[in-house]
Amino acid sequence: MMCLLSSLYLFAALASAQYLVESSSFGQDGRVSPNRFAIPGWHVSGEGQVPNLLSDKLVLTPPHPGNVRGAAWSESQVTQANWIAELEFRASGPDRGSGNLQIWYTKDGRGSIGTSSLYTVGSFDGMVLTIDQYGGRGGTIRGFMNDGSIDFNNHYSVDSLAFGHCDYAYRNLGRPSKLQIRQEAEIFEVLIDDKLCFSSDKIRLPAGYYFGLTAASAETPDSFEVYKFLLYTSPSITREEPQKNQPPSSQQPQDVHASSSQSSESQFENLQNRLQTITHAIDRLDVQLSKLVGDLDRRHREVSRGLMTKETIDHIAAHTDKLDRIERTVNSFQGQITNLQGAVKDSHRSMTEGLPKHMSHIITTKGPRMSLLIFIFVIIQVMLFGVYAVYKRRSKQGPKKYL
């Protein structure tokens, strides 16, 4: 179901904007500049530096130095009322880097804006989207309108003039981001990476304005690189592009009945009215499909969260029980280890304190008595004294020898 709705949504989008305005586009074939000197149909300028024009990208502000500006303005007016503008860009820089990128749709184009940013531009007639780190939220996309009566440079609070915004962390993604601006018959939308940023059914931008890009970097700069800018228009409006840009029709031409009494002009007017009616119907279908896809996505997320909670309750409970059992086992082992440690300490204490006493007791009780030792010593001394006395007496009684 989702795939079918996505296909219908894509078909409706392609049906309502399937013609590429090549005079206001670049990068559609992967090449920004055929010669690295200029972009056909665009005017590139800078302040403090010259934007670096490569074959596959336009570097509006370089990684170094900071406090520079870059701009690129289309030299062709948008003559159609319904259009889709698509920008692929990338921003990179150090952790504390800063800067901003603007997408302009204004009446006077570069003549009144040049390389200005949202905070340095004066009065202008048109619309601007700015991408910066306003509010310290990591990145925001905001939209501003002006009819030429407001001087943004001298306004006390330019940020309060935004008519729409969304948060988008655009820095250091390692890939290009795709910003899309859709001006349809009944709605104005801004999408980022194919997700709705903000929309309004009260904005209708007039034809005859110019698209432009400006970027500015801070002292610690962010580098803004542009890979492509594409402008698509509705098939219901007479185009200024050559017929070679229109894809060939797969239908066979219908035969004209000879009985038809209408003139060529009336037939063309009738055909144009029918195409206009079909385009409006497709636009309404596009809006309804967008709302339906959003509702289905929201319902799908809610159901997914519900299923995930229902399915994982038992699983989480089982794991919790296992963890409780493991904790109880560990606690029991800790108690046994504590008891064993106490027993070892008691054994050590008893050995260190009781062993000397026990040995002393054994020596005193089981060893020979001191009186016996003294008696034996006295007997030995008496015997020695007796032997000596006998010896002396015999030596006195023996014959004496004289020389």
Side-chain angles (χ1 to χ4, degrees):
M1 182 65 181
M2 294 296 296
C3 294
L4 178 59
L5 290 175
S6 299
S7 300
L8 290 174
Y9 181 83
L10 180 61
F11 173 77
L14 292 175
S16 61
Q18 60 182 344
Y19 293 109
L20 177 67
V21 182
E22 294 186 355
S23 62
S24 298
S25 304
F26 63 84
Q28 60 268 28
D29 56 354
R31 294 173 58 87
V32 173
S33 173
N35 52 21
R36 296 191 179 183
F37 293 105
I39 301 177
W42 288 73
H43 182 272
V44 179
S45 62
E47 182 178 328
Q49 56 96 36
V50 177
N52 192 9
L53 186 58
L54 304 177
S55 60
D56 61 339
K57 63 183 177 181
L58 171 64
V59 183
L60 290 175
T61 57
H64 182 78
N67 294 324
V68 298
R69 300 177 181 273
W73 284 92
S74 174
E75 297 176 346
S76 300
Q77 291 180 323
V78 179
T79 60
Q80 293 80 15
N82 298 335
W83 42 263
I84 296 178
E86 181 178 309
L87 172 70
E88 285 193 7
F89 71 96
R90 185 175 69 174
S92 58
D95 292 339
R96 298 181 180 275
S98 181
N100 53 56
L101 175 66
Q102 283 75 216
I103 301 94
W104 303 86
Y105 182 73
T106 61
K107 182 177 181 180
D108 297 330
R110 64 184 177 92
S112 60
I113 297 173
T115 61
S116 299
S117 65
L118 173 71
Y119 299 101
T120 60
V121 69
S123 59
F124 64 94
D125 186 357
M127 181 273 303
V128 59
L129 296 182
T130 183
I131 303 171
D132 58 10
Q133 302 181 68
Y134 168 73
R137 293 190 293 267
T140 58
I141 302 175
R142 295 175 293 161
F144 298 83
M145 300 286 293
N146 194 1
D147 59 358
S149 61
I150 302 176
D151 187 352
F152 276 36
N153 190 26
N154 295 319
H155 195 272
Y156 66 94
S157 178
V158 174
D159 299 319
S160 63
L161 302 178
F163 67 86
H165 69 90
C166 70
D167 294 337
Y168 178 68
Y170 61 91
R171 300 181 69 249
N172 297 325
L173 297 179
R175 58 166 177 83
S177 300
K178 184 172 73 172
L179 178 69
Q180 197 175 69
I181 309 171
R182 299 170 58 89
Q183 174 65 77
E184 303 293 346
E186 298 179 356
I187 194 169
F188 174 85
E189 292 181 332
V190 176
L191 299 93
I192 184 68
D193 291 339
D194 297 324
K195 297 180 181 179
L196 182 64
C197 178
F198 59 87
S199 62
S200 175
D201 57 357
K202 300 179 180 180
I203 295 178
R204 183 66 179 172
L205 298 174
Y209 284 19
Y210 296 87
F211 273 108
L213 308 171
T214 64
S217 63
E219 184 175 357
T220 303
D222 271 348
S223 176
F224 287 96
E225 303 171 350
V226 178
Y227 290 85
K228 66 173 63 175
F229 182 89
L230 306 178
L231 179 63
Y232 298 96
T233 60
S234 173
S236 62
I237 307 299
T238 303
R239 301 175 64 251
E240 63 178 358
E241 296 296 314
Q243 292 296 325
K244 64 179 181 179
N245 293 332
Q246 181 175 354
S249 176
S250 60
Q251 299 180 353
Q252 297 294 331
Q254 301 292 329
D255 295 335
V256 179
H257 295 283
S259 59
S260 177
S261 59
Q262 295 180 342
S263 64
S264 298
E265 294 181 356
S266 61
Q267 290 179 356
F268 180 77
E269 183 178 359
N270 186 23
L271 178 61
Q272 186 175 7
N273 292 333
R274 291 184 180 181
L275 289 175
Q276 186 72 28
T277 303
I278 293 173
T279 302
H280 291 165
I282 291 175
D283 292 336
R284 288 191 295 270
L285 177 63
D286 185 14
V287 175
Q288 294 175 0
L289 285 175
S290 300
K291 295 180 179 179
L292 181 59
V293 169
D295 293 339
L296 288 176
D297 287 339
R298 186 173 59 256
R299 295 280 297 275
H300 176 70
R301 288 193 296 268
E302 293 176 356
V303 172
S304 299
R305 286 195 297 269
L307 290 176
M308 181 171 24
T309 304
K310 185 177 180 181
E311 291 176 355
T312 54
I313 287 176
D314 296 336
H315 186 65
I316 294 174
H319 279 285
T320 304
D321 293 337
K322 290 181 180 179
L323 290 175
D324 291 338
R325 289 196 297 271
I326 293 173
E327 185 177 1
R328 288 194 296 269
T329 304
V330 171
N331 291 333
S332 65
F333 277 117
Q334 287 180 349
Q336 295 177 5
I337 291 172
T338 303
N339 296 332
L340 182 59
Q341 289 177 348
V344 171
K345 289 180 179 179
D346 293 338
S347 300
H348 178 72
R349 188 184 306 110
S350 63
M351 291 180 64
T352 55
E353 295 178 358
L355 184 60
K357 295 180 180 179
H358 185 65
M359 292 300 295
S360 176
H361 177 71
I362 291 175
I363 292 172
T364 55
T365 57
K366 301 299 181 180
R369 297 180 179 179
M370 186 61 66
S371 60
L372 180 60
L373 294 174
I374 295 173
F375 177 75
I376 294 171
F377 179 77
V378 171
I379 293 298
I380 292 171
Q381 292 295 325
V382 170
M383 291 175 64
L384 291 174
F385 181 76
V387 172
Y388 181 74
V390 172
Y391 170 75
K392 282 292 186 180
R393 188 171 55 250
R394 287 184 178 183
S395 62
K396 288 180 180 182
Q397 293 177 359
K400 299 180 180 179
K401 296 179 179 180
Y402 296 97
L403 296 176

